[in-house]
Amino acid sequence: MLRLSLFTMCALLAAVPASAEKFRDADLKALVPQIRATCLKPSDRQSWMTARQQESVCGCVAGKMHASLRKASFVNTRAPTAADKKKYMAFQDAAQLACTQPVFRQQTLRKVRQECVAKAPGIPVMQGLKRQRLDKVCGCVSERYARTWTLELVAKYPDTRSTMEGSRGLFAESIALCNAPPARKTPARKN
């Protein structure tokens, strides 16, 4: 999503310079709708997110930014310093991640489960599984995958190729772990 600069957002506020280190309630009241509106721009929506999901995420981001900005102190809220801008961007990045991750997880769960069921006939260890077992394995695969495949992890990959390799590796690893037979309990020896 589009990263907002503190300078741009502050320019929308009243032109009278403030000497306070915290945002005034009136300033926040004007700023938060602008954060939400900028987030909702169609050109800024990620391809995996629906318009409804983006609307929910942007409402969440605006709320989290409001809470963060209300508590934070800045050198100057009207003419932000480099440190002010950095702090603002850190709040924005944290809000984006916190608000987008649940939607990303939901999408990941759904897509991985679909892919698991669709690819099962071509995966040797899954061929011939009865429907009930297949559903159980694919449910496990999607849960494990979605728990591991986070936005933070995806961001660590330098390019699309390495991201796809990491994704395939996690998918294969999840299938192997979820389809493994349950471990047998060995009876304890009596001395």
Side-chain angles (χ1 to χ4, degrees):
M1 292 193 185
L2 182 64
R3 295 184 66 164
L4 308 173
S5 74
L6 182 60
F7 182 76
T8 302
M9 288 293 115
C10 289
L12 297 171
L13 303 175
V16 180
S19 59
E21 293 180 4
K22 293 190 178 282
F23 276 98
R24 296 178 313 168
D25 286 339
D27 293 343
L28 283 174
K29 202 171 192 175
L31 181 61
V32 170
Q34 292 300 318
I35 293 170
R36 188 174 189 286
T38 301
C39 176
L40 284 170
K41 288 182 181 175
S43 62
D44 202 31
R45 189 172 80 223
Q46 297 182 31
S47 62
W48 54 268
M49 197 183 309
T50 66
R52 177 182 261 175
Q53 288 169 330
Q54 182 180 6
E55 196 171 308
S56 173
V57 165
C58 290
C60 174
V61 167
K64 286 192 179 295
M65 288 293 292
H66 180 266
S68 295
L69 294 174
R70 169 172 256 137
K71 295 176 194 172
S73 294
F74 295 90
V75 173
N76 190 334
T77 60
R78 302 292 176 146
T81 64
D84 289 338
K85 291 176 185 178
K86 186 175 180 179
K87 183 184 288 189
Y88 182 92
M89 293 312 296
F91 288 144
Q92 184 174 351
D93 291 345
Q96 291 274 13
L97 182 62
C99 295
T100 306
Q101 183 58 48
V103 176
F104 182 75
R105 185 184 192 303
Q106 178 186 33
Q107 291 281 41
T108 301
L109 277 167
R110 186 179 58 78
K111 288 186 178 197
V112 170
R113 186 177 190 90
Q114 289 172 344
E115 185 176 343
C116 179
V117 170
K119 289 186 174 185
I123 300 172
V125 297
M126 294 180 74
Q127 290 173 345
L129 289 181
K130 292 183 179 172
R131 184 63 192 200
Q132 187 177 4
R133 176 74 178 143
L134 178 64
D135 286 343
K136 186 176 180 180
V137 169
C138 287
C140 172
V141 168
S142 64
E143 281 291 333
R144 184 179 188 285
Y145 191 100
R147 197 171 43 247
T148 306
W149 196 251
T150 62
L151 289 170
E152 289 173 312
L153 176 64
V154 172
K156 290 180 181 179
Y157 287 99
D159 54 35
T160 303
R161 187 173 149 260
S162 61
T163 303
M164 294 307 292
E165 287 172 8
S167 174
R168 281 191 296 272
L170 180 57
F171 187 71
E173 178 184 300
S174 297
I175 288 173
L177 289 170
C178 291
N179 196 37
R184 289 185 176 176
K185 291 185 178 179
T186 310
R189 289 181 142 187
K190 293 183 181 179
N191 290 340

Short mmCIF file of all heavy atoms in Angstrom, two decimals, residues 102-126:
data_model
loop_
_atom_site.label_atom_id
_atom_site.label_comp_id
_atom_site.label_asym_id
_atom_site.label_seq_id
_atom_site.Cartn_x
_atom_site.Cartn_y
_atom_site.Cartn_z
N PRO A 102 -4.05 -10.57 8.97
CA PRO A 102 -5.20 -11.47 9.10
C PRO A 102 -5.89 -11.76 7.76
O PRO A 102 -6.32 -12.89 7.51
CB PRO A 102 -6.15 -10.72 10.05
CG PRO A 102 -5.26 -9.81 10.82
CD PRO A 102 -4.18 -9.41 9.87
N VAL A 103 -5.98 -10.75 6.89
CA VAL A 103 -6.58 -10.96 5.57
C VAL A 103 -5.67 -11.85 4.73
O VAL A 103 -6.14 -12.77 4.04
CB VAL A 103 -6.83 -9.60 4.87
CG1 VAL A 103 -7.37 -9.80 3.46
CG2 VAL A 103 -7.79 -8.75 5.69
N PHE A 104 -4.38 -11.61 4.79
CA PHE A 104 -3.41 -12.43 4.07
C PHE A 104 -3.49 -13.89 4.54
O PHE A 104 -3.49 -14.81 3.73
CB PHE A 104 -2.00 -11.87 4.31
CG PHE A 104 -0.92 -12.60 3.56
CD1 PHE A 104 -0.74 -12.42 2.20
CD2 PHE A 104 -0.06 -13.45 4.24
CE1 PHE A 104 0.26 -13.08 1.51
CE2 PHE A 104 0.95 -14.12 3.56
CZ PHE A 104 1.11 -13.93 2.20
N ARG A 105 -3.61 -14.09 5.84
CA ARG A 105 -3.71 -15.44 6.40
C ARG A 105 -4.98 -16.13 5.91
O ARG A 105 -4.96 -17.30 5.52
CB ARG A 105 -3.71 -15.38 7.93
CG ARG A 105 -3.69 -16.75 8.59
CD ARG A 105 -3.78 -16.64 10.11
NE ARG A 105 -3.51 -17.82 10.86
CZ ARG A 105 -4.11 -18.99 10.76
NH1 ARG A 105 -5.04 -19.17 9.88
NH2 ARG A 105 -3.79 -20.00 11.53
N GLN A 106 -6.09 -15.42 5.92
CA GLN A 106 -7.37 -15.98 5.46
C GLN A 106 -7.27 -16.39 3.99
O GLN A 106 -7.70 -17.49 3.62
CB GLN A 106 -8.46 -14.94 5.67
CG GLN A 106 -9.83 -15.37 5.20
CD GLN A 106 -10.84 -14.23 5.31
OE1 GLN A 106 -10.49 -13.06 5.14
NE2 GLN A 106 -12.07 -14.57 5.57
N GLN A 107 -6.71 -15.54 3.17
CA GLN A 107 -6.55 -15.85 1.75
C GLN A 107 -5.61 -17.04 1.56
O GLN A 107 -5.84 -17.90 0.72
CB GLN A 107 -6.01 -14.63 0.98
CG GLN A 107 -6.98 -13.51 0.87
CD GLN A 107 -8.00 -13.75 -0.23
OE1 GLN A 107 -8.51 -14.85 -0.42
NE2 GLN A 107 -8.32 -12.71 -0.95
N THR A 108 -4.53 -17.06 2.33
CA THR A 108 -3.56 -18.15 2.24
C THR A 108 -4.20 -19.48 2.61
O THR A 108 -4.03 -20.48 1.91
CB THR A 108 -2.33 -17.86 3.12
OG1 THR A 108 -1.73 -16.64 2.69
CG2 THR A 108 -1.30 -18.97 3.04
N LEU A 109 -4.95 -19.51 3.70
CA LEU A 109 -5.65 -20.73 4.12
C LEU A 109 -6.52 -21.27 2.99
O LEU A 109 -6.47 -22.46 2.65
CB LEU A 109 -6.54 -20.45 5.33
CG LEU A 109 -5.90 -20.47 6.69
CD1 LEU A 109 -6.84 -19.88 7.74
CD2 LEU A 109 -5.52 -21.89 7.09
N ARG A 110 -7.32 -20.40 2.40
CA ARG A 110 -8.26 -20.81 1.36
C ARG A 110 -7.52 -21.31 0.11
O ARG A 110 -7.82 -22.38 -0.41
CB ARG A 110 -9.17 -19.62 0.99
CG ARG A 110 -10.28 -19.96 0.01
CD ARG A 110 -11.15 -18.75 -0.30
NE ARG A 110 -10.44 -17.61 -0.83
CZ ARG A 110 -10.04 -17.49 -2.08
NH1 ARG A 110 -10.25 -18.45 -2.94
NH2 ARG A 110 -9.41 -16.41 -2.49
N LYS A 111 -6.54 -20.54 -0.34
CA LYS A 111 -5.84 -20.91 -1.58
C LYS A 111 -5.00 -22.18 -1.42
O LYS A 111 -4.95 -23.01 -2.32
CB LYS A 111 -4.99 -19.75 -2.08
CG LYS A 111 -5.83 -18.63 -2.63
CD LYS A 111 -5.02 -17.54 -3.26
CE LYS A 111 -5.96 -16.49 -3.82
NZ LYS A 111 -5.36 -15.62 -4.76
N VAL A 112 -4.32 -22.32 -0.29
CA VAL A 112 -3.48 -23.50 -0.08
C VAL A 112 -4.34 -24.75 0.03
O VAL A 112 -4.01 -25.79 -0.52
CB VAL A 112 -2.55 -23.33 1.14
CG1 VAL A 112 -1.87 -24.63 1.51
CG2 VAL A 112 -1.51 -22.24 0.86
N ARG A 113 -5.47 -24.65 0.69
CA ARG A 113 -6.38 -25.80 0.80
C ARG A 113 -6.87 -26.21 -0.60
O ARG A 113 -6.88 -27.39 -0.93
CB ARG A 113 -7.55 -25.48 1.71
CG ARG A 113 -8.45 -26.68 1.96
CD ARG A 113 -9.57 -26.33 2.94
NE ARG A 113 -10.24 -27.53 3.33
CZ ARG A 113 -9.92 -28.28 4.36
NH1 ARG A 113 -8.91 -27.94 5.12
NH2 ARG A 113 -10.59 -29.37 4.64
N GLN A 114 -7.28 -25.24 -1.41
CA GLN A 114 -7.72 -25.53 -2.77
C GLN A 114 -6.61 -26.19 -3.58
O GLN A 114 -6.84 -27.17 -4.29
CB GLN A 114 -8.19 -24.25 -3.47
CG GLN A 114 -9.47 -23.69 -2.97
CD GLN A 114 -9.80 -22.33 -3.57
OE1 GLN A 114 -8.93 -21.66 -4.15
NE2 GLN A 114 -11.04 -21.90 -3.43
N GLU A 115 -5.42 -25.62 -3.48
CA GLU A 115 -4.28 -26.16 -4.22
C GLU A 115 -3.94 -27.57 -3.76
O GLU A 115 -3.65 -28.45 -4.57
CB GLU A 115 -3.06 -25.25 -4.06
CG GLU A 115 -1.88 -25.66 -4.90
CD GLU A 115 -0.72 -24.70 -4.79
OE1 GLU A 115 -0.89 -23.56 -4.33
OE2 GLU A 115 0.39 -25.10 -5.19
N CYS A 116 -3.99 -27.81 -2.47
CA CYS A 116 -3.68 -29.13 -1.91
C CYS A 116 -4.65 -30.18 -2.46
O CYS A 116 -4.22 -31.25 -2.93
CB CYS A 116 -3.75 -29.07 -0.39
SG CYS A 116 -3.42 -30.64 0.43
N VAL A 117 -5.94 -29.87 -2.42
CA VAL A 117 -6.95 -30.82 -2.92
C VAL A 117 -6.78 -31.04 -4.42
O VAL A 117 -6.83 -32.17 -4.91
CB VAL A 117 -8.37 -30.33 -2.58
CG1 VAL A 117 -9.42 -31.16 -3.28
CG2 VAL A 117 -8.59 -30.35 -1.07
N ALA A 118 -6.55 -29.96 -5.17
CA ALA A 118 -6.41 -30.06 -6.62
C ALA A 118 -5.17 -30.85 -7.04
O ALA A 118 -5.20 -31.60 -8.01
CB ALA A 118 -6.37 -28.67 -7.24
N LYS A 119 -4.07 -30.68 -6.31
CA LYS A 119 -2.81 -31.33 -6.69
C LYS A 119 -2.64 -32.72 -6.09
O LYS A 119 -1.72 -33.44 -6.48
CB LYS A 119 -1.62 -30.45 -6.29
CG LYS A 119 -1.50 -29.21 -7.13
CD LYS A 119 -0.25 -28.45 -6.80
CE LYS A 119 -0.08 -27.28 -7.77
NZ LYS A 119 1.15 -26.57 -7.57
N ALA A 120 -3.50 -33.11 -5.16
CA ALA A 120 -3.36 -34.40 -4.47
C ALA A 120 -3.23 -35.60 -5.40
O ALA A 120 -2.36 -36.45 -5.18
CB ALA A 120 -4.51 -34.60 -3.49
N PRO A 121 -4.00 -35.69 -6.48
CA PRO A 121 -3.87 -36.86 -7.35
C PRO A 121 -2.49 -36.99 -8.01
O PRO A 121 -2.08 -38.09 -8.38
CB PRO A 121 -4.96 -36.65 -8.41
CG PRO A 121 -5.95 -35.74 -7.77
CD PRO A 121 -5.14 -34.86 -6.86
N GLY A 122 -1.77 -35.90 -8.13
CA GLY A 122 -0.45 -35.91 -8.75
C GLY A 122 0.70 -36.00 -7.77
O GLY A 122 1.86 -36.03 -8.18
N ILE A 123 0.40 -36.03 -6.48
CA ILE A 123 1.45 -36.10 -5.46
C ILE A 123 1.49 -37.53 -4.95
O ILE A 123 0.53 -38.02 -4.36
CB ILE A 123 1.16 -35.12 -4.30
CG1 ILE A 123 1.09 -33.68 -4.84
CG2 ILE A 123 2.21 -35.24 -3.21
CD1 ILE A 123 0.61 -32.65 -3.82
N PRO A 124 2.61 -38.24 -5.20
CA PRO A 124 2.68 -39.66 -4.86
C PRO A 124 2.22 -40.01 -3.45
O PRO A 124 1.46 -40.98 -3.28
CB PRO A 124 4.16 -40.01 -5.07
CG PRO A 124 4.61 -39.04 -6.12
CD PRO A 124 3.84 -37.78 -5.84
N VAL A 125 2.61 -39.27 -2.44
CA VAL A 125 2.24 -39.63 -1.07
C VAL A 125 0.76 -39.38 -0.77
O VAL A 125 0.26 -39.82 0.26
CB VAL A 125 3.11 -38.91 -0.01
CG1 VAL A 125 4.56 -39.31 -0.14
CG2 VAL A 125 2.93 -37.40 -0.09
N MET A 126 0.07 -38.67 -1.68
CA MET A 126 -1.34 -38.37 -1.45
C MET A 126 -2.26 -39.12 -2.39
O MET A 126 -3.49 -39.06 -2.25
CB MET A 126 -1.57 -36.87 -1.55
CG MET A 126 -0.86 -36.09 -0.45
SD MET A 126 -1.12 -34.32 -0.53
CE MET A 126 -2.80 -34.18 0.05
#
